[in-house]
Amino acid sequence: MSLMVKNVTRRFNGNTAVKNISFQTYKGEIVGLLGTSGCGKSTLLRAISGLDEGYEGEVSLNGNAVRNVNTNASFIFQEPRLMPWLTVKDNVSFGLSEKKQEKGLKAERYIELVGLKGYENYYPLELSGGMAQRVAIARALVTSPELLLLDEPFSALDAFTKMQLQDLLLKIWSEYRSTMVLVTHDIDEALYLCDRIIILTGQPGVFKQEFVIEEPKPRRRGSQQVAAYKERILKCLEL
Amino acid sequence: MANHQNGNTASLPFPKVKKASPFKKAMFHPFIVGSILPVILIIVWEALSRAGVIPAYQLPSPTAIVDKIIELAEKGTLWGHVGITTYRIFLGFLLGTAAAVIIGSFVGFYNRVEQLLDPMIQAFRSIPSLAWVPLFILWMSIGEASKVALIAVGVFFPVYLNIVSGISGVDRKLIEVGKMYGFTNFQLVKRIILPASLPSFLVGMRSGLGLGWMFVVAAELMGASQGLGYLLVVGQNTYSPDLIIASIVLFAILGKVTDALLKRLEYKALHWQDRLERS
Ligand SMILES: Nc1ncnc2c1ncn2[C@@H]1O[C@H](COP(=O)(O)OP(=O)(O)O)[C@@H](O)[C@H]1O
Ligand SMILES: [Mg+2]
């Protein structure tokens, strides 16, 4: 799915959170929105998702302007946001409207994909943070979204779990080639996953610069080419 | 002792691993521990009664009270009294809970309805509910309706308050998950808001039931020809403390049983909450 964001501005009671952001993504591309905390990344992603409709400007999917939630898009939040009263399996199939058996089969397939086979009947309270986030990933994927929106999905996890889930995300991407918009404040994460990185800075957040990362994926963490990009991005962020 | 202190732990005899015997485990079961004091109290009470220290016309012995209950049961009147009291509680509880669910849901979901209704309901809440009794009797005479209405009023408030706070306390983040799936408002309510506020609804039901028992006593004291509360009045008028205490004991048993039923329901509905604790 191609996404186009045109002159999006979002004000909250007169305070501007993001100002005049425009960019587009092509089908199957992973685009990173990178910026310091508070520069409006989440605000922008919520506008794209349709969860927030109070923005100015235009968001189009496949060339059609949209304002409300589009069921071809899925959102992975920073927290897993699982329904605590449902098992892993029921959480994964939560948004499906098919018959029970079909839902179950689909859920099982995606539970296996995220490496949680055997945990179908666990409740969220019994899962570690990493496992819970895997469930959230399975739940987002089960509707076969063409656009995946991720808001710092791994930032609450420890370094090792984080790397595992980044690899999982790449595996999913190579299998399904869904378009992704990844909000992050982690430069290494952006450089590991994204085809293109859009830098936002300031308050209100404005577009600063765009980096096209031409390294083929999967990339080696901490390779020289990646380090060179990192230096340029740091310079751009004036850190 | 001395050669144990020089650090040569290998020479130490194996520490005797103490394994609790099944007998000991049973001894320290919470139920047993909790029963110790009541049992001692009852034995002391019985002994004092038999020794004549406590006069029977003020406080009859435990055995006399059990005898009284058995006597009532044999005469056949006990079931009528217990039955009618349970029936009143049941009906009042049902009506009070239903009203609280309906009104509480609207108040919880719609800000406008909350602004409209909540101040008034809060004002009514500050009226001690027993103050309604004369009015209810005036309106509905002394029959069943006024009693059930009084119980329903007592049950309503705790259930209502818990439902409203449960619904308004639902994590907005969970609701957004549903919104991302394009859920309608009805789906959001049914699949996220109601299940998420269930714990606090159940808390409300249990405290509502407790109040219901209080109000059934009040309602039956005010004028009834049957029921456990009526037995209290009879006991007072005929100077029979055994009858009064027998009714109190029956109230305690019924209250405990109904609460245990709700607790079971709560456990079944909320097992996801404390699976961790159990395992
Ligand atoms: N619902 C809201 N109401 C008022 N201000 C908000 C709201 N959401 C975000 N903001 C403000 O917008 C700015 C950007 O926030 P956010 O998008 O969360 O930043 P980021 O995700 O980049 O850390 C912040 O100053 C924040 O206070
Ligand atoms: Mg954010």
Side-chain angles (χ1 to χ4, degrees), chain A residues 10-13 15-18 33-46 52 78 151-152 183-185 200 202-205:
Chain A
R10 178 62 164 113
R11 285 180 241 268
F12 294 105
N13 318 313
N15 293 326
T16 312
V18 283
L33 296 177
L34 184 68
T36 47
S37 182
C39 72
K41 305 181 296 293
S42 299
T43 304
L44 183 59
L45 199 66
R46 290 170 59 80
D52 175 23
Q78 184 175 358
D151 190 357
E152 306 194 5
V183 161
T184 181
H185 58 224
L200 305 179
Q203 267 169 341

mmCIF file of all heavy atoms in Angstrom, chain A residues 10-13 15-18 33-46 52 78 151-152 183-185 200 202-205, ligand 1:
data_model
loop_
_atom_site.group_PDB
_atom_site.id
_atom_site.type_symbol
_atom_site.label_atom_id
_atom_site.label_comp_id
_atom_site.label_asym_id
_atom_site.label_seq_id
_atom_site.Cartn_x
_atom_site.Cartn_y
_atom_site.Cartn_z
ATOM 1 N N ARG A 10 -0.643 19.341 13.240
ATOM 2 C CA ARG A 10 -1.576 19.007 14.326
ATOM 3 C C ARG A 10 -1.364 19.982 15.476
ATOM 4 O O ARG A 10 -0.246 20.156 15.954
ATOM 5 C CB ARG A 10 -1.337 17.573 14.814
ATOM 6 C CG ARG A 10 -2.219 17.149 15.984
ATOM 7 C CD ARG A 10 -3.710 17.166 15.601
ATOM 8 N NE ARG A 10 -4.541 16.432 16.544
ATOM 9 C CZ ARG A 10 -5.463 16.997 17.343
ATOM 10 N NH1 ARG A 10 -5.618 18.307 17.347
ATOM 11 N NH2 ARG A 10 -6.192 16.254 18.142
ATOM 12 N N ARG A 11 -2.438 20.668 15.849
ATOM 13 C CA ARG A 11 -2.381 21.587 16.996
ATOM 14 C C ARG A 11 -3.207 21.019 18.134
ATOM 15 O O ARG A 11 -4.262 20.420 17.913
ATOM 16 C CB ARG A 11 -3.000 22.934 16.608
ATOM 17 C CG ARG A 11 -2.128 23.779 15.714
ATOM 18 C CD ARG A 11 -2.860 25.087 15.390
ATOM 19 N NE ARG A 11 -3.085 25.202 13.950
ATOM 20 C CZ ARG A 11 -2.240 25.809 13.122
ATOM 21 N NH1 ARG A 11 -1.140 26.345 13.591
ATOM 22 N NH2 ARG A 11 -2.485 25.863 11.833
ATOM 23 N N PHE A 12 -2.728 21.181 19.361
ATOM 24 C CA PHE A 12 -3.522 20.850 20.549
ATOM 25 C C PHE A 12 -3.759 22.145 21.310
ATOM 26 O O PHE A 12 -2.824 22.709 21.866
ATOM 27 C CB PHE A 12 -2.775 19.866 21.452
ATOM 28 C CG PHE A 12 -2.565 18.507 20.830
ATOM 29 C CD1 PHE A 12 -1.313 18.130 20.357
ATOM 30 C CD2 PHE A 12 -3.611 17.609 20.733
ATOM 31 C CE1 PHE A 12 -1.115 16.881 19.800
ATOM 32 C CE2 PHE A 12 -3.417 16.352 20.168
ATOM 33 C CZ PHE A 12 -2.168 15.998 19.706
ATOM 34 N N ASN A 13 -4.949 22.629 21.325
ATOM 35 C CA ASN A 13 -5.305 23.890 22.006
ATOM 36 C C ASN A 13 -4.304 24.997 21.708
ATOM 37 O O ASN A 13 -3.762 25.608 22.619
ATOM 38 C CB ASN A 13 -5.376 23.714 23.523
ATOM 39 C CG ASN A 13 -6.053 22.431 23.930
ATOM 40 O OD1 ASN A 13 -7.108 22.113 23.408
ATOM 41 N ND2 ASN A 13 -5.437 21.693 24.825
ATOM 42 N N ASN A 15 -1.257 24.825 20.785
ATOM 43 C CA ASN A 15 0.146 24.384 20.719
ATOM 44 C C ASN A 15 0.329 23.463 19.530
ATOM 45 O O ASN A 15 -0.389 22.473 19.403
ATOM 46 C CB ASN A 15 0.536 23.617 21.982
ATOM 47 C CG ASN A 15 0.548 24.513 23.192
ATOM 48 O OD1 ASN A 15 0.887 25.690 23.089
ATOM 49 N ND2 ASN A 15 0.159 23.970 24.334
ATOM 50 N N THR A 16 1.279 23.790 18.683
ATOM 51 C CA THR A 16 1.497 22.958 17.518
ATOM 52 C C THR A 16 2.452 21.823 17.873
ATOM 53 O O THR A 16 3.530 22.059 18.424
ATOM 54 C CB THR A 16 2.097 23.790 16.370
ATOM 55 O OG1 THR A 16 1.312 24.973 16.254
ATOM 56 C CG2 THR A 16 2.058 23.028 15.075
ATOM 57 N N ALA A 17 2.021 20.578 17.616
ATOM 58 C CA ALA A 17 2.858 19.415 17.927
ATOM 59 C C ALA A 17 3.728 19.040 16.733
ATOM 60 O O ALA A 17 4.923 18.797 16.883
ATOM 61 C CB ALA A 17 1.996 18.232 18.340
ATOM 62 N N VAL A 18 3.115 18.971 15.554
ATOM 63 C CA VAL A 18 3.885 18.769 14.326
ATOM 64 C C VAL A 18 3.419 19.786 13.295
ATOM 65 O O VAL A 18 2.256 20.183 13.290
ATOM 66 C CB VAL A 18 3.725 17.360 13.719
ATOM 67 C CG1 VAL A 18 4.537 16.344 14.464
ATOM 68 C CG2 VAL A 18 2.278 16.956 13.644
ATOM 69 N N LEU A 33 10.494 7.155 11.024
ATOM 70 C CA LEU A 33 10.343 8.541 11.469
ATOM 71 C C LEU A 33 11.189 8.661 12.724
ATOM 72 O O LEU A 33 10.882 8.077 13.751
ATOM 73 C CB LEU A 33 8.890 8.862 11.800
ATOM 74 C CG LEU A 33 7.886 8.800 10.651
ATOM 75 C CD1 LEU A 33 6.471 9.072 11.167
ATOM 76 C CD2 LEU A 33 8.254 9.818 9.577
ATOM 77 N N LEU A 34 12.297 9.400 12.600
ATOM 78 C CA LEU A 34 13.263 9.444 13.684
ATOM 79 C C LEU A 34 13.334 10.856 14.233
ATOM 80 O O LEU A 34 13.336 11.827 13.480
ATOM 81 C CB LEU A 34 14.629 9.002 13.143
ATOM 82 C CG LEU A 34 15.789 8.872 14.117
ATOM 83 C CD1 LEU A 34 15.558 7.733 15.076
ATOM 84 C CD2 LEU A 34 17.095 8.641 13.342
ATOM 85 N N GLY A 35 13.373 10.968 15.531
ATOM 86 C CA GLY A 35 13.473 12.293 16.129
ATOM 87 C C GLY A 35 13.520 12.185 17.632
ATOM 88 O O GLY A 35 13.196 11.132 18.192
ATOM 89 N N THR A 36 13.927 13.275 18.259
ATOM 90 C CA THR A 36 14.021 13.247 19.714
ATOM 91 C C THR A 36 12.624 13.182 20.328
ATOM 92 O O THR A 36 11.625 13.446 19.659
ATOM 93 C CB THR A 36 14.732 14.507 20.237
ATOM 94 O OG1 THR A 36 14.152 15.633 19.586
ATOM 95 C CG2 THR A 36 16.214 14.455 19.958
ATOM 96 N N SER A 37 12.585 12.851 21.607
ATOM 97 C CA SER A 37 11.316 12.698 22.306
ATOM 98 C C SER A 37 10.548 14.024 22.314
ATOM 99 O O SER A 37 11.123 15.076 22.551
ATOM 100 C CB SER A 37 11.608 12.233 23.728
ATOM 101 O OG SER A 37 10.419 12.043 24.397
ATOM 102 N N GLY A 38 9.260 13.961 22.008
ATOM 103 C CA GLY A 38 8.428 15.155 22.077
ATOM 104 C C GLY A 38 8.351 15.944 20.777
ATOM 105 O O GLY A 38 7.725 16.991 20.730
ATOM 106 N N CYS A 39 8.979 15.430 19.712
ATOM 107 C CA CYS A 39 8.945 16.205 18.471
ATOM 108 C C CYS A 39 7.729 15.849 17.616
ATOM 109 O O CYS A 39 7.622 16.299 16.487
ATOM 110 C CB CYS A 39 10.237 16.037 17.687
ATOM 111 S SG CYS A 39 10.401 14.423 16.947
ATOM 112 N N GLY A 40 6.815 15.048 18.166
ATOM 113 C CA GLY A 40 5.555 14.839 17.462
ATOM 114 C C GLY A 40 5.474 13.586 16.609
ATOM 115 O O GLY A 40 4.578 13.469 15.768
ATOM 116 N N LYS A 41 6.362 12.647 16.844
ATOM 117 C CA LYS A 41 6.337 11.427 16.026
ATOM 118 C C LYS A 41 5.050 10.639 16.237
ATOM 119 O O LYS A 41 4.387 10.242 15.275
ATOM 120 C CB LYS A 41 7.541 10.526 16.383
ATOM 121 C CG LYS A 41 8.881 11.213 16.265
ATOM 122 C CD LYS A 41 10.020 10.273 16.614
ATOM 123 C CE LYS A 41 10.020 9.780 18.056
ATOM 124 N NZ LYS A 41 10.281 10.815 19.054
ATOM 125 N N SER A 42 4.696 10.442 17.504
ATOM 126 C CA SER A 42 3.465 9.683 17.786
ATOM 127 C C SER A 42 2.254 10.423 17.245
ATOM 128 O O SER A 42 1.335 9.802 16.692
ATOM 129 C CB SER A 42 3.300 9.476 19.291
ATOM 130 O OG SER A 42 4.373 8.754 19.813
ATOM 131 N N THR A 43 2.257 11.710 17.410
ATOM 132 C CA THR A 43 1.143 12.517 16.927
ATOM 133 C C THR A 43 0.950 12.319 15.423
ATOM 134 O O THR A 43 -0.170 12.117 14.944
ATOM 135 C CB THR A 43 1.418 13.998 17.233
ATOM 136 O OG1 THR A 43 1.641 14.126 18.633
ATOM 137 C CG2 THR A 43 0.262 14.871 16.806
ATOM 138 N N LEU A 44 2.059 12.340 14.714
ATOM 139 C CA LEU A 44 2.000 12.166 13.260
ATOM 140 C C LEU A 44 1.480 10.774 12.897
ATOM 141 O O LEU A 44 0.611 10.617 12.027
ATOM 142 C CB LEU A 44 3.400 12.398 12.680
ATOM 143 C CG LEU A 44 3.543 12.322 11.167
ATOM 144 C CD1 LEU A 44 2.639 13.350 10.500
ATOM 145 C CD2 LEU A 44 4.990 12.558 10.749
ATOM 146 N N LEU A 45 1.972 9.765 13.606
ATOM 147 C CA LEU A 45 1.567 8.394 13.287
ATOM 148 C C LEU A 45 0.083 8.176 13.590
ATOM 149 O O LEU A 45 -0.614 7.468 12.859
ATOM 150 C CB LEU A 45 2.422 7.397 14.086
ATOM 151 C CG LEU A 45 2.439 5.980 13.538
ATOM 152 C CD1 LEU A 45 3.118 5.957 12.175
ATOM 153 C CD2 LEU A 45 3.133 5.026 14.485
ATOM 154 N N ARG A 46 -0.383 8.824 14.653
ATOM 155 C CA ARG A 46 -1.802 8.684 14.989
ATOM 156 C C ARG A 46 -2.682 9.368 13.939
ATOM 157 O O ARG A 46 -3.786 8.892 13.651
ATOM 158 C CB ARG A 46 -2.083 9.246 16.372
ATOM 159 C CG ARG A 46 -1.473 8.400 17.494
ATOM 160 C CD ARG A 46 -1.557 9.094 18.834
ATOM 161 N NE ARG A 46 -2.945 9.392 19.180
ATOM 162 C CZ ARG A 46 -3.775 8.482 19.692
ATOM 163 N NH1 ARG A 46 -3.326 7.274 19.948
ATOM 164 N NH2 ARG A 46 -5.011 8.795 19.951
ATOM 165 N N ASP A 52 -6.516 9.609 15.286
ATOM 166 C CA ASP A 52 -6.690 11.029 15.573
ATOM 167 C C ASP A 52 -7.110 11.692 14.272
ATOM 168 O O ASP A 52 -6.441 11.554 13.253
ATOM 169 C CB ASP A 52 -5.360 11.605 16.083
ATOM 170 C CG ASP A 52 -5.442 13.107 16.284
ATOM 171 O OD1 ASP A 52 -6.571 13.621 16.468
ATOM 172 O OD2 ASP A 52 -4.389 13.760 16.252
ATOM 173 N N GLN A 78 3.580 1.032 21.492
ATOM 174 C CA GLN A 78 4.758 0.845 22.337
ATOM 175 C C GLN A 78 4.510 -0.227 23.399
ATOM 176 O O GLN A 78 5.385 -1.015 23.703
ATOM 177 C CB GLN A 78 5.112 2.175 23.006
ATOM 178 C CG GLN A 78 6.371 2.094 23.826
ATOM 179 C CD GLN A 78 6.781 3.449 24.375
ATOM 180 O OE1 GLN A 78 6.143 4.470 24.111
ATOM 181 N NE2 GLN A 78 7.838 3.459 25.147
ATOM 182 N N ASP A 151 4.745 2.330 16.536
ATOM 183 C CA ASP A 151 5.167 3.458 17.361
ATOM 184 C C ASP A 151 6.111 2.980 18.454
ATOM 185 O O ASP A 151 5.675 2.481 19.485
ATOM 186 C CB ASP A 151 3.942 4.144 17.980
ATOM 187 C CG ASP A 151 4.319 5.464 18.648
ATOM 188 O OD1 ASP A 151 5.518 5.799 18.666
ATOM 189 O OD2 ASP A 151 3.404 6.149 19.147
ATOM 190 N N GLU A 152 7.383 3.134 18.227
ATOM 191 C CA GLU A 152 8.412 2.677 19.161
ATOM 192 C C GLU A 152 8.079 1.303 19.732
ATOM 193 O O GLU A 152 8.010 1.121 20.947
ATOM 194 C CB GLU A 152 8.579 3.696 20.299
ATOM 195 C CG GLU A 152 8.836 5.083 19.783
ATOM 196 C CD GLU A 152 9.325 6.030 20.871
ATOM 197 O OE1 GLU A 152 9.556 5.577 21.997
ATOM 198 O OE2 GLU A 152 9.504 7.223 20.560
ATOM 199 N N VAL A 183 8.049 4.488 13.810
ATOM 200 C CA VAL A 183 8.467 5.621 14.629
ATOM 201 C C VAL A 183 9.483 5.128 15.640
ATOM 202 O O VAL A 183 9.279 4.098 16.274
ATOM 203 C CB VAL A 183 7.249 6.220 15.364
ATOM 204 C CG1 VAL A 183 7.691 7.054 16.548
ATOM 205 C CG2 VAL A 183 6.428 7.062 14.414
ATOM 206 N N THR A 184 10.593 5.831 15.761
ATOM 207 C CA THR A 184 11.597 5.386 16.720
ATOM 208 C C THR A 184 12.469 6.561 17.140
ATOM 209 O O THR A 184 12.533 7.588 16.470
ATOM 210 C CB THR A 184 12.460 4.255 16.118
ATOM 211 O OG1 THR A 184 13.403 3.836 17.088
ATOM 212 C CG2 THR A 184 13.182 4.708 14.873
ATOM 213 N N HIS A 185 13.112 6.423 18.299
ATOM 214 C CA HIS A 185 14.126 7.402 18.660
ATOM 215 C C HIS A 185 15.484 6.724 18.741
ATOM 216 O O HIS A 185 16.433 7.271 19.269
ATOM 217 C CB HIS A 185 13.766 8.115 19.971
ATOM 218 C CG HIS A 185 13.597 7.165 21.123
ATOM 219 N ND1 HIS A 185 12.572 7.280 22.004
ATOM 220 C CD2 HIS A 185 14.310 6.096 21.503
ATOM 221 C CE1 HIS A 185 12.673 6.308 22.907
ATOM 222 N NE2 HIS A 185 13.718 5.580 22.612
ATOM 223 N N LEU A 200 12.834 14.208 11.998
ATOM 224 C CA LEU A 200 12.020 15.321 12.478
ATOM 225 C C LEU A 200 12.769 15.967 13.638
ATOM 226 O O LEU A 200 13.370 15.276 14.447
ATOM 227 C CB LEU A 200 10.657 14.843 12.982
ATOM 228 C CG LEU A 200 9.795 14.027 12.033
ATOM 229 C CD1 LEU A 200 8.494 13.636 12.722
ATOM 230 C CD2 LEU A 200 9.477 14.827 10.769
ATOM 231 N N GLY A 202 12.763 19.475 16.584
ATOM 232 C CA GLY A 202 12.178 20.690 17.150
ATOM 233 C C GLY A 202 10.817 20.492 17.766
ATOM 234 O O GLY A 202 10.231 19.414 17.726
ATOM 235 N N GLN A 203 10.358 21.556 18.391
ATOM 236 C CA GLN A 203 9.013 21.566 18.944
ATOM 237 C C GLN A 203 8.344 22.875 18.536
ATOM 238 O O GLN A 203 8.756 23.916 19.032
ATOM 239 C CB GLN A 203 9.065 21.457 20.469
ATOM 240 C CG GLN A 203 8.956 20.026 20.911
ATOM 241 C CD GLN A 203 9.270 19.827 22.373
ATOM 242 O OE1 GLN A 203 9.900 20.658 23.005
ATOM 243 N NE2 GLN A 203 8.837 18.728 22.908
ATOM 244 N N PRO A 204 7.418 22.925 17.683
ATOM 245 C CA PRO A 204 6.783 21.821 16.963
ATOM 246 C C PRO A 204 7.750 21.090 16.031
ATOM 247 O O PRO A 204 8.681 21.694 15.498
ATOM 248 C CB PRO A 204 5.694 22.523 16.150
ATOM 249 C CG PRO A 204 6.180 23.917 15.984
ATOM 250 C CD PRO A 204 6.897 24.230 17.256
ATOM 251 N N GLY A 205 7.494 19.790 15.845
ATOM 252 C CA GLY A 205 8.346 18.980 14.995
ATOM 253 C C GLY A 205 8.187 19.337 13.533
ATOM 254 O O GLY A 205 7.075 19.466 13.036
HETATM 255 N N1 LIG C 1 -3.595 14.518 23.161
HETATM 256 C C1 LIG C 1 -2.719 15.544 23.320
HETATM 257 N N2 LIG C 1 -3.124 16.682 23.911
HETATM 258 C C2 LIG C 1 -2.255 17.717 24.078
HETATM 259 N N3 LIG C 1 -0.982 17.681 23.702
HETATM 260 C C3 LIG C 1 -0.522 16.564 23.127
HETATM 261 C C4 LIG C 1 -1.362 15.429 22.911
HETATM 262 N N4 LIG C 1 -0.630 14.467 22.307
HETATM 263 C C5 LIG C 1 0.606 14.964 22.171
HETATM 264 N N5 LIG C 1 0.687 16.234 22.637
HETATM 265 C C6 LIG C 1 1.883 17.098 22.609
HETATM 266 O O1 LIG C 1 2.454 17.025 21.337
HETATM 267 C C7 LIG C 1 3.864 16.999 21.422
HETATM 268 C C8 LIG C 1 4.406 15.808 20.674
HETATM 269 O O2 LIG C 1 4.054 14.625 21.362
HETATM 270 P P1 LIG C 1 4.341 13.181 20.770
HETATM 271 O O3 LIG C 1 3.767 13.075 19.430
HETATM 272 O O4 LIG C 1 3.891 12.189 21.772
HETATM 273 O O5 LIG C 1 5.932 13.155 20.690
HETATM 274 P P2 LIG C 1 6.896 11.932 20.418
HETATM 275 O O6 LIG C 1 6.087 10.747 20.098
HETATM 276 O O7 LIG C 1 7.756 12.378 19.289
HETATM 277 O O8 LIG C 1 7.713 11.753 21.652
HETATM 278 C C9 LIG C 1 4.213 17.006 22.885
HETATM 279 O O9 LIG C 1 4.590 18.317 23.254
HETATM 280 C C10 LIG C 1 2.939 16.609 23.553
HETATM 281 O O10 LIG C 1 2.826 17.241 24.800
#
